[in-house]
């Protein structure tokens, strides 16, 4: 899965992650044909929140090759305390961030979040 957020979309995406951090300690990324779902549930399983970002929200959105989409669905669990600082610092540098690229690689089980800034800063 690969998606690219541009402009204000990076800020909106970051605000959604910040809201999910108030609910639970884990962030689930579920890429589907309908879009990218961000989910969180609290430890008692009494509260659940989901944000679904349509493919139209992204500058580019693809699930990957046919072999990756095959019979397995990609579900990725991240620890919130490692993801939240990436998007929390955006408020101070949001003027310089032009786009954000998120990639999920199923063979290597990696999530890569890259920020691209103006003038390479």
């Amino acid at each position: 899965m690969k998606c690219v957020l541009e402009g204000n979309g990076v800020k909106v995406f970051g605000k959604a992650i910040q809201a999910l951090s108030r609910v639970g300690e884990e962030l689930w990324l579920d890429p589907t044909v309908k879009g990218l779902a961000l989910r969180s549930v609290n430890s008692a399983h009494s509260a659940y929140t989901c944000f679904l970002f349509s493919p139209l929200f992204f500058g580019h959105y693809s699930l990957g090759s046919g072999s990756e989409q095959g019979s397995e669905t990609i579900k990725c669990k991240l620890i919130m305390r490692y993801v939240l600082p990436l998007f929390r610092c955006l408020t101070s540098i949001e003027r310089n961030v032009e786009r954000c690229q998120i990639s999920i690689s199923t063979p290597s089980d990696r999530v890569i979040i890259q920020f691209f800034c103006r003038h390479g800063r």
Side-chain angles (χ1 to χ4, degrees):
M1 192 276 315
K2 186 176 191 178
C3 62
V4 177
L5 298 154
E6 296 185 12
N8 286 335
V10 179
K11 184 178 177 181
V12 171
F13 196 81
K15 293 287 186 183
I17 290 177
Q18 289 177 11
L20 289 169
S21 72
R22 295 183 185 123
V23 175
E25 296 176 3
E26 298 172 344
L27 173 67
W28 288 87
L29 298 176
D30 298 333
T32 64
V33 175
K34 293 182 180 182
L36 179 63
L38 303 179
R39 305 172 199 272
S40 186
V41 64
N42 69 351
S43 57
H45 295 281
S46 60
Y48 169 80
T49 305
C50 176
F51 289 99
L52 178 63
F53 291 95
S54 164
L56 298 174
F57 176 77
F58 300 98
H60 171 75
Y61 181 82
S62 69
L63 290 175
S65 66
S67 60
E68 284 182 20
Q69 295 178 34
S71 60
E72 69 179 69
T73 57
I74 301 172
K75 290 193 178 190
C76 179
K77 177 175 76 170
L78 302 173
I79 305 300
M80 192 66 78
R81 70 173 180 237
Y82 298 125
V83 177
L84 189 58
L86 297 174
F87 289 94
R88 193 174 270 165
C89 71
L90 284 178
T91 55
S92 61
I93 62 170
E94 71 186 27
R95 288 173 275 142
N96 293 326
V97 174
E98 288 185 337
R99 65 187 169 102
C100 173
Q101 179 176 315
I102 302 171
S103 303
I104 300 175
S105 175
T106 48
S108 61
D109 293 333
R110 289 189 182 191
V111 176
I112 299 171
I113 301 172
Q114 294 177 302
F115 295 100
F116 297 91
C117 300
R118 256 182 237 132
H119 312 297
R121 295 185 208 167

